[in-house]
Amino acid sequence: MTKRETKRVEVAAGVIFRRDGRFLLGQRAPDTFYAGYWEFPGGKVEPGESPADALIRELDEELGIRVHAVRPWITREHLYEHAHVRLHFFEVADWEGELHDHVHSALSWERVEAPEVGPMLPANGPILKALRLPRWMGITHATGIGVERQLAQLDAALVGGLRLVQLREPGMAMSELRAFAVEVVKRARACGASVVVNGSPELAAEVGADGVHLSAAQLALTGQRPALEWVGASCHTREELERAAGLGLDYAVLGAVQPTATHPGQAALGWERFSELVRGLPMPVLALGGLQPADMERARAAGAHGIAAIRGSWVQS
C-alpha cells in the first residue's frame, strides 16, 4: 500500500495519572497490530465525534472509568504499514472508578522519569520524553538583581521543587556568564534539576548544561536541531511554533499571554489566542508572560504543558 493509499485514522489517547504521579500504559493484545507493544489508552475517533469525546467514551469502554475532565496536550502523526495515524493526546485531569481492562493483555503504572515496560508503540515513544519535561521553567535574571541574589533565589526555588531552569542573561559579560552558568548547573544538578542555556549551544556544552533555548531570531536561522538533549525555542506566532516542530525541538515557549514588566509595550495574547496557536502541535508548549503558580490550572486547560516565568519563579529576597 502506498503512502497515498494509506488510510487516515484519527485516534484519541489519554495520559492518565495516579495520585503518586505514575501514568498508565496498556499492552496491546495478541490479535492486534504490534501485539505486545505498550501504548497509552484510547481509541479511534468516530465520525461526528470530537477527539475529547472519543477519549472519554473509549476510556469508559476499555477501562471502565468515568472521565470528568481532559486537557488538550499534543498531537502527533505516524505512518504505520496499515494506516496514517493522527494521535490527539490529552491529559486526563479528573476521573473516577476502578480499572477493569477489557482490551489489553496487561496494564502498568509507570514512573515518568524511567518507564520500565517495553517496547513502546512507535507513535507513542516520543511522548515519554515530553512527559519528562517539567511543568515549570524558572528563567534567571541575575543581570537585573545581581548574581548572589539570583543564586539565593535559585537555591530556594530548587528546594521548593523547581526542576527546569533557563539561564537567560542578555548583556552579561562572557566571563561572568560562564562562571554564573557553572554555578547554576552545579546547584541544579545537586537537586536533580535540568538547565538550558539561552542562545548558546557552545556555552551549554562547555558548562555541562542539559540543553539550549533558542531565541525566535535564532530559530528563524537554524537549519538543524543542535545536538543536545533538550532544545527549545521562544515563539510568538504559529509560524514560529511550526518551525520549532519541524526542526524536532523538544518544546517551545509561547507568549506573552498577559502583560509583563519585561516587555511593557508588547500586546498580550490572552488565553483564547494562546489555545488557538498551540492546537495540534507535536511538542509541548510552555506559556510565558506575567504568570504565577496560581495560573497553572488555567494554562493547562488552554493546552499549555506548563508555565515559564521570570519574576513568578523566584522567592523575592
Side-chain angles (χ1 to χ4, degrees):
M1 184 180 287
T2 67
K3 183 176 180 180
R4 180 172 296 183
E5 296 170 335
T6 301
K7 178 174 61 175
R8 177 71 172 264
V9 179
E10 301 287 332
V11 172
V15 183
I16 304 171
F17 289 102
R18 205 166 60 177
R19 288 185 178 180
D20 62 3
R22 288 178 177 253
F23 67 95
L24 186 67
L25 291 175
Q27 187 178 39
R28 292 178 65 83
D31 58 345
T32 61
F33 286 103
Y34 286 90
Y37 281 67
W38 292 82
E39 65 179 358
F40 291 87
K44 184 178 176 181
V45 180
E46 300 296 342
E49 192 176 39
S50 73
D53 288 341
L55 180 62
I56 292 171
R57 173 184 54 75
E58 286 282 350
L59 295 183
D60 183 15
E61 295 173 359
E62 286 188 10
L63 302 174
I65 62 174
R66 293 169 296 284
V67 175
H68 302 300
V70 297
R71 304 185 188 103
W73 189 38
I74 59 181
T75 302
R76 296 193 65 89
E77 297 194 21
H78 191 85
L79 187 61
Y80 288 102
E81 296 88 345
H82 65 288
H84 181 179
V85 179
R86 189 170 190 234
L87 290 130
H88 305 265
F89 282 91
F90 294 85
E91 294 180 323
V92 180
D94 184 15
W95 62 279
E96 65 176 341
E98 294 186 14
L99 295 176
H100 296 285
D101 188 54
H102 301 295
V103 300
H104 295 101
S105 296
L107 296 175
S108 182
W109 291 100
E110 295 295 313
R111 293 188 303 120
V112 169
E113 300 81 9
E116 296 180 355
V117 298
M120 282 293 295
L121 200 64
N124 292 337
I127 303 303
L128 298 179
K129 185 174 185 181
L131 283 174
R132 286 171 45 211
L133 182 72
R135 302 288 177 172
W136 190 280
M137 171 189 281
I139 305 173
T140 68
H141 60 151
T143 306
I145 65 172
V147 167
E148 292 306 315
R149 185 179 176 193
Q150 176 68 88
L151 290 175
Q153 291 182 352
L154 174 64
D155 287 340
L158 290 170
V159 169
L162 180 68
R163 291 298 177 263
L164 179 60
V165 180
Q166 182 192 151
L167 195 151
R168 180 183 181 275
E169 300 298 340
M172 184 179 283
M174 180 52 68
S175 58
E176 185 180 9
L177 179 60
R178 185 178 293 106
F180 178 59
V182 167
E183 196 63 36
V184 169
V185 169
K186 180 180 74 173
R187 295 175 188 225
R189 191 76 75 246
C191 294
S194 299
V195 178
V196 293
V197 175
N198 185 287
S200 177
E202 297 78 16
L203 179 60
E206 180 182 344
V207 301
D210 301 275
V212 64
H213 183 93
L214 306 175
S215 68
Q218 287 177 310
L219 176 65
L221 298 174
T222 298
Q224 185 174 353
R225 172 199 160 96
L228 292 164
E229 181 183 6
W230 291 100
V231 182
S234 293
C235 298
H236 309 93
T237 67
R238 178 70 184 196
E239 181 181 10
E240 290 172 348
L241 288 165
E242 291 178 353
R243 178 161 182 77
L247 288 170
L249 302 196
D250 300 300
Y251 70 88
V253 171
L254 175 65
V257 177
Q258 298 177 0
T260 70
T262 308
H263 300 93
Q266 182 176 326
L269 292 173
W271 287 117
E272 183 176 350
R273 181 58 178 156
F274 177 93
S275 183
E276 292 173 356
L277 289 173
V278 303
R279 188 172 298 131
L281 291 172
M283 79 285 187
V285 180
L286 299 169
L288 171 75
L291 303 177
Q292 300 292 329
D295 296 306
M296 181 62 79
E297 185 60 35
R298 181 68 187 88
R300 292 175 70 177
H305 178 82
I307 288 173
I310 300 176
R311 289 163 181 81
S313 297
W314 312 114
V315 175
Q316 300 304 307
S317 60

